[in-house]
Amino acid sequence: MVALARSPRIQPKTDESSAFEADVLAGLHATPKRLPPKYFYDGLGSQLFERITELPEYYPTRCEMRILREQGADIAKLVPKGAALVEFGSGSSKKARILLRALPPLAAYVPVDICGEMIEQEARELRLDFPGLKVLPVTADITREFVLPQPALTAPVRAGFFPGSTIGNFEPHEAAAFLRNAARILGAGATLIVGADLIKPAEVLNAAYNDAAGVTARFNLNLLVRINRELRGTFKLDTFEHHAFYNRERNRVEMHLASLKRQKVKVAGESVDFRAGETIHTENSYKYSVDSLGALARGAGWQPAAVWTDERGYFSIQAFTLAK
Ligand SMILES: C[S@@+](CC[C@H](N)C(=O)[O-])C[C@H]1O[C@@H](n2cnc3c(N)ncnc32)[C@H](O)[C@@H]1O
């Protein structure tokens, strides 16, 4: 058999890169144009998200971490000794670190994220900081079925952790599908601890997604940088602008990239036309009330068990359980 010479410029397509190409082309040919927010999180996107969490205008991370610090002991009562903790969309695991300090000894901590680069790095650090803990990262799309590592499967029970209001990035029907998938993955008797941003005045929300330092704008535009790099895109970054605003009727903050002029862009060999002012809808961040998230979870088979909020009522941590 003759070995085929590898061209340095033509990389074999993985399932992941084919899905990225198919999703991007479908989204750019749709009306209105849209892109799935999960593709924000390449290496640079994950780093930019971490910078967003430290911005003065971005209250959610501070509120959620404060609730975890102040209520950790109470939250821990819902997670029995020997359970496995599975975190969905774990990113830097910085909230898990607070929770892990409050929890009893666990069978394993399983951070799951689409950005493998980020969670492998964080797992190395977690193992140093929590020497007795099995840290078993899984790179996977949390909207799909995935298999837990053996120590998590054989633990007597599993608890899920889904902080960061990532649930708000799903359409409500997708959030319900996620909650059903989480129930299948975690199994009977599980607890799920969800961090969800609450409905609040539009000024607070508009400021949080339009920071003065422009980090959220860079995070949004980085999606075009990624398309240029991975899909032979020809987006000119200075011809697109970050737009974010609270849509009160739909209880969501919308993020868009607006074309500043009429133009044609190539992506993976296909042509995409933009009108001046036309946008690509890149993310929704739905805001819930305690009751509306409770109703969504109930519909997906989870029983509301407890709720913690900060004193301004900006953010909530809500616990749900599955029957044994
Ligand atoms: C809003 S950030 C939250 C990060 C972290 N949990 C926190 O609370 O700071 C969303 C995280 O979920 C991950 N993510 C988004 N969509 C995902 C998907 N479909 N599958 C797996 N991970 C996903 C991103 O890579 C990112 O780390």
Side-chain angles (χ1 to χ4, degrees), residues 71-91:
Q71 309 295 343
D74 230 19
I75 299 170
K77 289 182 191 146
L78 293 164
V79 182
K81 188 172 165 191
L85 182 71
V86 178
E87 181 172 1
F88 298 95
S90 53

Side-chain angles (χ1 to χ4, degrees), residues 80-301:
K81 188 172 165 191
L85 182 71
V86 178
E87 181 172 1
F88 298 95
S90 53
S92 69
S93 289
K94 71 179 175 198
K95 291 159 192 167
R97 284 169 180 275
I98 305 173
L99 192 59
L100 286 168
R101 287 198 183 93
L103 292 179
L106 296 174
Y109 166 59
V110 182
V112 185
D113 204 285
I114 203 159
C115 184
E117 195 180 320
M118 179 88 166
I119 55 169
E120 292 295 339
Q121 166 67 28
E122 294 301 331
R124 283 190 285 276
E125 289 175 20
L126 277 163
R127 288 185 195 112
L128 297 176
D129 296 344
F130 296 86
L133 180 67
K134 274 196 192 115
V135 181
L136 307 169
V138 172
T139 302
D141 184 333
I142 55 170
T143 61
R144 310 239 170 99
E145 295 246 357
F146 61 89
V147 180
L148 291 176
Q150 203 58 27
L153 288 175
T154 51
V157 70
R158 282 148 294 281
F161 185 39
F162 194 32
S165 208
T166 307
I167 194 157
N169 297 141
F170 295 136
E171 289 301 313
H173 73 278
E174 293 169 339
F178 166 80
L179 290 167
R180 284 194 295 276
N181 194 32
R184 269 193 301 274
I185 288 168
L186 298 171
T191 301
L192 181 62
I193 300 156
V194 181
D197 200 11
L198 297 173
I199 295 166
K200 62 183 62 60
E203 318 81 79
V204 181
L205 291 166
N206 285 327
Y209 292 80
N210 289 287
D211 60 286
V215 184
T216 313
R218 275 194 66 201
F219 173 75
N220 199 4
L221 283 159
N222 181 53
L223 193 45
L224 303 186
V225 177
R226 181 175 183 185
I227 293 172
N228 282 353
R229 185 181 62 240
E230 296 184 24
L231 300 178
R232 292 169 286 123
T234 61
F235 282 105
K236 292 197 180 71
L237 297 197
D238 57 357
T239 64
F240 284 86
E241 198 171 67
H242 166 74
H243 282 186
F245 55 90
Y246 183 49
N247 178 335
R248 207 184 291 268
E249 285 71 48
R250 307 194 68 174
N251 289 330
R252 68 188 196 194
V253 174
E254 297 185 10
M255 280 207 326
H256 295 255
L257 288 165
S259 176
L260 295 175
K261 59 177 195 179
R262 188 164 165 232
Q263 59 181 316
K264 199 181 277 297
V265 174
K266 283 233 162 184
V267 175
E270 297 192 16
S271 238
V272 183
D273 291 316
F274 285 88
R275 287 176 278 107
E278 185 177 5
T279 75
I280 313 172
H281 190 166
T282 49
E283 188 182 75
N284 286 318
S285 295
Y286 280 88
K287 307 303 167 188
Y288 285 96
S289 66
V290 167
D291 287 347
S292 63
L293 187 62
L296 194 76
R298 245 192 230 101

